């Protein structure tokens, strides 16, 4: 069977990550630490002599800036794909973990309960988000069978990719961390998905923040 491999990269740190603020589709840029993390991640890929066939990135600038660090070291141009965006969190976007329970108490309870069908007032439900990510992964897999795909995305999106690859239930509590600028590997052998390695941050000089998708 022919194996297709994905190296999944979470974007570098943003100020909103530091503030523990829900970003969703809000287009926040990397901060100085995030740019440094992206550079360290790209350099690590170079030092491990990673050979990949194509580079994809979410179209949000925190992901595009992270992909740019890879473009600086490899003769490659990232392909932007809006399907790789973070989950749209509706009315919760922009709120910090401290503010959300005060500003949107009922919505926050729904979010914490992992209600699969609630769209957070104008965003995406978990089911909608899961289907978007599953379809994006499957489309890329079928387009690049037997290849190695480097993909830059977001914490919640990568958590969903982990759920797809490990067959973890959507209603289950988060099982893994997804640190900024981490490297995460999944593969498909033609019949099923497999998680190969997850949350590698050994290339970073400082500790990285986990994602907030609770």
């Amino acid at each position: 069977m022919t194996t297709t491999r994905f190296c999944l990269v979470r974007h570098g740190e943003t100020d909103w990550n530091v503030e523990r603020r829900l970003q969703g589709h809000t287009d926040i840029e990397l901060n100085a630490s995030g740019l440094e993390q992206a550079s360290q991640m790209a350099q690590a890929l170079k030092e491990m002599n990673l050979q990949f066939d194509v580079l994809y990135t979410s179209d949000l600038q925190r992901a595009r800036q992270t992909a740019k660090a890879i473009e600086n070291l490899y003769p490659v141009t990232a392909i932007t794909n809006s399907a790789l965006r973070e989950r749209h969190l509706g009315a919760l976007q922009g709120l910090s973990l401290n503010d959300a329970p005060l500003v949107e108490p009922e919505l926050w309870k729904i979010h914490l309960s992992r209600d699969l069908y609630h769209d957070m007032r104008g965003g995406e439900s978990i089911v909608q988000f899961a289907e978007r990510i599953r379809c994006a992964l499957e489309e890329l897999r079928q387009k690049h069978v037997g290849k190695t795909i480097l993909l830059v995305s977001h914490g919640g999106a990568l958590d969903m990719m982990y759920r797809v690859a490990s067959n973890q239930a959507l209603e289950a509590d988060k099982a893994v961390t997804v640190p900024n600028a981490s490297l995460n590997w999944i593969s498909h052998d033609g019949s099923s998905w497999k998680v190969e390695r997850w949350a590698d941050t050994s290339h970073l000089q400082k500790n990285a923040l986990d994602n907030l998708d609770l």
Side-chain angles (χ1 to χ4, degrees):
M1 291 185 285
T2 303
T3 298
T4 306
R5 299 186 75 211
F6 287 78
C7 179
L8 310 174
V9 181
R10 185 187 174 201
H11 64 77
E13 184 182 282
T14 71
D15 285 342
W16 278 25
N17 291 152
V18 176
E19 295 167 9
R20 312 305 279 166
R21 195 174 296 278
L22 295 159
Q23 293 180 121
H25 281 200
T26 312
D27 203 8
I28 306 300
E29 64 182 6
L30 298 183
N31 61 21
S33 293
L35 291 169
E36 186 176 357
Q37 289 173 337
S39 178
Q40 291 168 7
M41 174 276 301
Q43 187 61 44
L45 294 178
K46 197 72 173 177
E47 290 176 1
M48 72 175 67
N49 195 31
L50 176 68
Q51 303 296 313
F52 59 91
D53 298 283
V54 63
L55 171 63
Y56 283 92
T57 180
S58 157
D59 62 340
L60 297 178
Q61 63 178 326
R62 56 191 184 272
R64 288 190 288 108
Q65 286 178 300
T66 303
K68 179 64 177 175
I70 299 169
E71 292 177 324
N72 289 341
L73 295 182
Y74 283 89
V76 64
T77 299
I79 301 169
T80 57
N81 186 337
S82 62
L84 302 177
R85 283 187 175 196
E86 184 60 281
R87 179 185 174 191
H88 194 306
L89 290 169
L92 292 179
Q93 290 187 169
L95 297 178
S96 71
L97 294 190
N98 291 330
D99 292 341
L102 303 176
V103 178
E104 294 284 355
E106 292 305 314
L107 204 56
W108 186 244
K109 288 178 185 177
I110 292 169
H111 182 55
L112 292 183
S113 74
R114 292 196 66 83
D115 184 313
L116 299 185
Y117 300 98
H118 201 289
D119 69 358
M120 303 292 114
R121 287 213 318 272
E124 290 175 292
S125 70
I126 292 175
V127 167
Q128 289 170 330
F129 179 44
E131 182 64 9
R132 168 163 65 84
I133 295 298
R134 187 194 66 76
C135 288
L137 270 182
E138 186 60 21
E139 180 180 328
L140 296 182
R141 183 188 74 80
Q142 292 188 14
K143 189 173 182 179
H144 304 286
V145 173
K147 306 294 186 180
T148 297
I149 301 160
L150 188 53
L151 187 158
V152 182
S153 189
H154 306 265
L158 265 61
D159 176 77
M160 191 59 71
M161 293 176 196
Y162 176 90
R163 289 173 187 269
V164 169
S166 66
N167 203 31
Q168 183 192 4
L170 294 180
E171 62 270 23
D173 289 340
K174 185 175 138 185
V176 292
T177 61
V178 191
N180 286 120
S182 59
L183 299 175
N184 310 272
W185 294 87
I186 63 175
S187 62
H188 195 286
D189 65 5
S191 62
S192 62
W193 288 99
K194 174 185 177 183
V195 177
E196 295 187 354
R197 195 164 76 248
W198 200 262
D200 180 5
T201 57
S202 60
H203 50 281
L204 300 179
Q205 295 176 5
K206 300 177 182 177
N207 290 337
L209 298 172
D210 188 14
N211 68 301
L212 298 184
D213 188 35
L214 306 173

